Amino acid sequence: MAAKNDKLTDADYKIIPGVGFSKVKFGMHKEQIIKLMGQPDEIEEDANYGDSPDDKVTVLYYDIDGFSVSFDKEEKYRLTEISFESDLFVLENGVRVGQTTAEALDLLEKAGYEEPMLEDLDGEVDPNDNTEAYTYDEKNVTLWFDNGILQTIQIGPFWFDSDTIKWPE
């Protein structure tokens, strides 16, 4: 189990699809996150994460706390993605890093999530791992599994349509 951040209470570890967690919300800027969470362990500036050279993101890694936040250039460097890699963070119905594929998918089904889309990345991420990504488009949630164990819970904001993000209030 990861060490708890002294800035977070137990309630702050609840993952809220389409919104974020704690006081960290989609649409915030890098400086706001640093003010809330402190200096990250690492900052990756303008990494290319898409098909176009203009698909740039800045990522703040809070390795000790078990999460990272990504800011998309196309959205004026507002927070557009959060990845959780610590079992302290909890998604609906008790889904957390370290669970088996069956456990996590069953909990989300019981929480009313639609059938996920499965992407099998066998050997593409790491040749020694069988990596699978289960994406719930309606909730903008992706669960990443290596060898049948949940490694990362990734969330993004909700969308009005394919071009317009519904930023949380």
Side-chain angles (χ1 to χ4, degrees), residues 14-76:
K14 181 180 179 187
I15 300 169
I16 306 167
V19 177
F21 74 101
S22 183
K23 294 178 180 99
V24 175
K25 298 196 180 344
F26 292 114
M28 296 176 89
H29 292 278
K30 178 173 76 171
E31 299 74 22
Q32 292 172 292
I33 301 295
I34 292 171
K35 185 175 180 181
L36 276 174
M37 304 306 301
Q39 282 297 320
D41 297 300
E42 179 185 348
I43 299 176
E44 187 177 4
E45 296 282 353
D46 286 337
N48 193 323
Y49 273 84
D51 299 329
S52 160
D54 292 330
D55 291 338
K56 303 263 189 212
V57 297
T58 294
V59 184
L60 305 183
Y61 294 96
Y62 288 88
D63 297 331
I64 293 169
D65 300 313
F67 72 92
S68 62
V69 288
S70 300
F71 305 85
D72 193 320
K73 179 181 180 184
E74 190 173 308
E75 297 300 331
K76 298 181 175 77

Side-chain angles (χ1 to χ4, degrees), residues 133-153:
Y134 288 83
T135 300
Y136 296 86
D137 281 335
E138 185 178 291
K139 296 282 191 175
N140 202 357
V141 169
T142 301
L143 304 181
W144 293 85
F145 296 87
D146 284 341
N147 302 319
I149 302 297
L150 182 55
Q151 302 297 315
T152 304
I153 299 169

Side-chain angles (χ1 to χ4, degrees), residues 4-13 21-24 37 65 67 89:
K4 286 191 175 187
N5 181 317
D6 61 0
K7 294 179 183 283
L8 298 174
T9 67
D10 286 345
D12 291 324
Y13 287 99
F21 74 101
S22 183
K23 294 178 180 99
V24 175
M37 304 306 301
D65 300 313
F67 72 92
F89 292 97

